[in-house]
Amino acid sequence: QQQVKQSPQSLIVQKGGISIINCAYENTAFDYFPWYQQFPGKGPALLIAIRPDVSEKKEGRFTISVNKSAKQFSLHIMDSQPGDSATYFCAATSPYSNDYKLSFGAGTTVTVRA
Amino acid sequence: GAGVSQSPSNKVTEKGKDVELRCDPISGHTALYWYRQSLGQGLEFLIYFQGNSAPDKSGLPSDRFSAERTGGSVSTLTIQRTQQEDSAVYLCASSSSGLGGDTQYFGPGTRLTVL
């Protein structure tokens, strides 16, 4: 079964708007949450990641946050641009063990309309 | 090389044929992963290599799937007697050590179509 549940499956946002993607997990050992961005015909590429003991991280227009008590984490894309149109995957793992395996969400296809 | 490379980029085969997919990881990366991405689906873990050993093959969907890695570098994923449900994009990734928290760098994938 999928250890990370991601929503929505797809979203459409106007240029300049905010895109919000949410993920939920069950494994309380998860403490490293990377987000990957994938363009058509390409492999996923790391977009931004949040490391243990940090609840929020911002890089440019991208902000990720984690709520461990709720076992949820999210990606916000501010001032969305047409170039942000891609599929976004959340992922989770435990960095303290030899748990190398990333558990991925099912992905969210974001379309930014000009 | 600059990144993870995979070949071929596209493979069309007939049901029942065997196929081999190749992955060249980033030089020096000890960990290598294979994933499968079906249309509209997330990434399904297949197998993990640390060096030439595969400590976790738990994601391989059937005994028709096998993989090997040689010289701590190139890996080959082999699918025998392909079925239509094997059609997907097969992604390879590598990371420097394989520890949780290491960034996994993905290749562009091989799109497999089984007719």
Side-chain angles (χ1 to χ4, degrees), chain A residues 19-55:
Chain A
S19 304
I20 301 174
I21 304 170
N22 297 300
C23 291
Y25 61 96
E26 289 297 323
N27 189 338
T28 54
F30 285 164
D31 203 9
Y32 172 63
F33 304 97
W35 287 82
Y36 282 79
Q37 180 187 54
Q38 184 179 31
F39 293 104
K42 305 289 187 183
L46 181 68
L47 176 67
I48 186 173
I50 198 162
R51 296 207 169 264
D53 303 325
V54 175
S55 61

Side-chain angles (χ1 to χ4, degrees), chain A residues 40-78:
Chain A
K42 305 289 187 183
L46 181 68
L47 176 67
I48 186 173
I50 198 162
R51 296 207 169 264
D53 303 325
V54 175
S55 61
E56 185 172 293
K57 181 175 181 179
K58 182 177 179 180
E59 285 186 359
R61 297 181 292 105
F62 300 90
T63 300
I64 53 176
S65 59
V66 180
N67 182 337
K68 289 185 185 176
S69 61
K71 292 186 285 186
Q72 296 175 345
F73 57 113
S74 63
L75 171 69
H76 286 56
I77 307 174
M78 313 299 287

Side-chain angles (χ1 to χ4, degrees), chain B residues 64-78:
Chain B
R64 297 186 294 106
F65 288 72
S66 62
E68 66 173 12
R69 189 179 184 194
T70 55
S73 180
V74 173
S75 176
T76 303
L77 177 68
T78 301

Side-chain angles (χ1 to χ4, degrees), chain A residues 2 9 32 36 38 41-46 51 87 89 93-102 104-107, chain B residues 33 35 37 40-43 45 48 55-56 58-59 89 91 98-109 111:
Chain A
Q2 205 156 31
Q9 187 175 8
Y32 172 63
Y36 282 79
Q38 184 179 31
K42 305 289 187 183
L46 181 68
R51 296 207 169 264
T87 299
F89 293 95
T93 190
S94 168
Y96 297 112
S97 68
N98 289 327
D99 187 4
Y100 45 83
K101 193 185 304 182
L102 282 172
F104 283 89
Chain B
Y33 315 78
Y35 293 88
Q37 185 175 26
Q41 300 296 312
L43 282 74
F45 169 82
Y48 158 69
D56 188 349
S58 63
V89 175
L91 291 161
L99 294 175
D102 262 2
T103 298
Q104 293 187 22
Y105 296 88
F106 284 82
R111 180 175 297 278

